[in-house]
Amino acid sequence: DIELSLSGDFVVNDVLDMILQYLGTVPADANSEYKVEGKETTSNDFSGVPALQLPGKHLDLELEDSDPRAVAYVAGAAPNAWGFLADGSTVAQRVGDADKRASDYDKQRRAHPLFANAALSLVSEIANRRLFSTVRERKQLTYDANFSLTGFERMNGGWFLVTVTASKEKAQAALEACKETLEAMQTSNPISPDNLESAKRVVLNRHEGELRTSQYWATMMSGIQEESVPLKGPLSVTDFHAVIESMTTRDLQLTLDCMGLDEVELYTAIGKTVQPEGLVDDGIVKASPMAGVGRGGALKG
């Protein structure tokens, strides 16, 4: 199936004519020569991400580069953008099963199609703030620490990824600090009402700002008619504010339990640079290689 989402200032009839001209005239058997005979592909072939082997593993890498720098990663299992886990269960189901004392109102809120998506957005924002506060400001081990989710929509399951840049000497300590921060969110330092309210403001303000762009509207519309994304629909746009505002710390704490944050479930890696053989030191004092590094890893570029 093909779904086309358009957003912007255009004449509808002109666009429909162009769609017919450029897409509607493509023959149904355009790529038939690439089809493998005797093999039929079904939607179940790509229904979920592969299960991670437990316990998790650690990997050390060395890459040649003239500048001394390092990056550490912490990763683990997570739901997809709409709350589906790799085994087909959902965040809403797991939260409901875990909260035996949930009120009828709580059950109604958690049944909303946008519940898991909103909860994961808030969890991601809070995790980023915690990592910045702990790893950078308090322990001064890094210039940048970032928490992100893969955000698959059609495929069940996904991963979270923490990326932290550091000096080669502090890379291991920065990695351990990230792991401690994630563990604390589940145990000794759970999500507080202040954490939640701050995250709500950031998420809502970001949403309001991005509503001014055509790209954001096209992204929100993409998949609305797809059966493979059953929870994405008009309510994900019209009820966004209401669902975000209705979230509680209990919701987010139970959502955290749906992610692979335990020590045995974590996959970690540290990449460090090593000087190329035969490199001659020119004696020039260079600025810190960490300064100005964008998110995504210190070993890029």
Side-chain angles (χ1 to χ4, degrees), residues 1 31 87 89 141 167 205 222 250 268:
D1 296 335
N31 292 315
D87 62 3
S89 63
L141 295 171
S167 66
N205 288 338
S222 176
R250 179 68 171 162
T268 60

Side-chain angles (χ1 to χ4, degrees), residues 167-280:
S167 66
K168 295 171 65 173
E169 297 75 20
K170 294 181 178 180
Q172 185 64 47
L175 176 66
E176 295 301 325
C178 290
K179 291 166 62 177
E180 291 170 9
T181 302
L182 295 177
E183 180 186 9
M185 288 180 64
Q186 281 192 299
T187 55
S188 61
N189 190 13
I191 295 171
S192 69
D194 286 343
N195 295 153
L196 175 60
E197 292 306 313
S198 296
K200 285 181 179 179
R201 287 194 297 270
V202 172
V203 171
L204 289 175
N205 288 338
R206 184 188 302 131
H207 176 71
E208 286 295 328
E210 292 182 336
L211 283 176
R212 300 183 178 92
T213 67
S214 296
Q215 180 182 354
Y216 189 58
W217 277 103
T219 300
M220 287 192 297
M221 290 189 296
S222 176
I224 282 181
Q225 302 179 73
E226 290 279 351
E227 293 183 1
S228 57
V229 194
L231 298 181
K232 191 172 188 178
L235 292 180
S236 62
V237 180
T238 59
D239 292 357
F240 188 88
H241 274 260
V243 175
I244 290 291
E245 290 290 3
S246 71
M247 287 290 166
T248 67
T249 55
R250 179 68 171 162
D251 293 332
L252 302 195
Q253 213 62 53
L254 292 174
T255 299
L256 278 175
D257 292 339
C258 299
M259 304 170 70
L261 297 175
D262 293 340
E263 175 75 24
V264 296
E265 299 176 287
L266 297 178
Y267 277 70
T268 60
I270 293 179
K272 297 180 180 180
T273 61
V274 293
Q275 287 197 347
E277 188 175 346
L279 180 69
V280 178

Side-chain angles (χ1 to χ4, degrees), residues 6-277:
L6 300 173
S7 176
D9 184 8
F10 55 81
V11 178
V12 175
N13 289 335
D14 290 348
V15 171
L16 291 177
D17 289 341
M18 290 180 2
I19 292 173
L20 176 61
Q21 179 180 354
Y22 294 107
L23 294 180
T25 56
V26 177
D29 60 348
N31 292 315
S32 58
E33 66 268 28
Y34 300 109
K35 183 177 180 180
V36 178
E37 295 296 332
K39 181 179 180 181
E40 295 294 330
T41 301
T42 66
S43 59
N44 291 331
D45 293 337
F46 306 100
S47 60
V49 301
L52 295 175
Q53 295 182 357
L54 299 179
K57 300 177 181 179
H58 177 77
L59 182 66
D60 286 302
L61 298 170
E62 289 186 344
L63 300 174
E64 287 190 353
D65 192 275
S66 58
D67 291 329
R69 48 185 171 172
V71 60
Y73 297 101
V74 181
N80 75 0
W82 296 95
F84 286 90
L85 287 90
D87 62 3
S89 63
T90 67
V91 168
Q93 291 169 350
R94 293 198 179 189
V95 169
D97 292 342
D99 193 359
K100 302 299 183 182
R101 295 182 296 177
S103 65
D104 290 339
Y105 174 64
D106 287 333
K107 295 177 182 178
Q108 181 182 4
R109 287 189 306 103
R110 293 165 180 170
H112 195 285
L114 192 61
F115 170 78
N117 183 277
L120 291 168
S121 296
L122 294 169
V123 164
S124 182
E125 181 61 35
I126 293 170
N128 268 308
R129 286 181 173 234
R130 288 283 186 93
L131 288 166
F132 184 89
S133 174
T134 302
V135 186
R136 174 175 174 168
E137 293 187 335
R138 185 159 62 84
K139 297 194 174 185
Q140 298 182 347
L141 295 171
T142 180
Y143 283 95
D144 185 44
N146 172 248
F147 179 96
S148 61
L149 296 163
T150 48
F152 298 135
E153 288 197 319
R154 292 169 176 80
M155 187 179 295
N156 289 345
W159 300 278
F160 71 84
L161 176 66
V162 177
T163 305
V164 56
T165 57
S167 66
K168 295 171 65 173
E169 297 75 20
K170 294 181 178 180
Q172 185 64 47
L175 176 66
E176 295 301 325
C178 290
K179 291 166 62 177
E180 291 170 9
T181 302
L182 295 177
E183 180 186 9
M185 288 180 64
Q186 281 192 299
T187 55
S188 61
N189 190 13
I191 295 171
S192 69
D194 286 343
N195 295 153
L196 175 60
E197 292 306 313
S198 296
K200 285 181 179 179
R201 287 194 297 270
V202 172
V203 171
L204 289 175
N205 288 338
R206 184 188 302 131
H207 176 71
E208 286 295 328
E210 292 182 336
L211 283 176
R212 300 183 178 92
T213 67
S214 296
Q215 180 182 354
Y216 189 58
W217 277 103
T219 300
M220 287 192 297
M221 290 189 296
S222 176
I224 282 181
Q225 302 179 73
E226 290 279 351
E227 293 183 1
S228 57
V229 194
L231 298 181
K232 191 172 188 178
L235 292 180
S236 62
V237 180
T238 59
D239 292 357
F240 188 88
H241 274 260
V243 175
I244 290 291
E245 290 290 3
S246 71
M247 287 290 166
T248 67
T249 55
R250 179 68 171 162
D251 293 332
L252 302 195
Q253 213 62 53
L254 292 174
T255 299
L256 278 175
D257 292 339
C258 299
M259 304 170 70
L261 297 175
D262 293 340
E263 175 75 24
V264 296
E265 299 176 287
L266 297 178
Y267 277 70
T268 60
I270 293 179
K272 297 180 180 180
T273 61
V274 293
Q275 287 197 347
E277 188 175 346

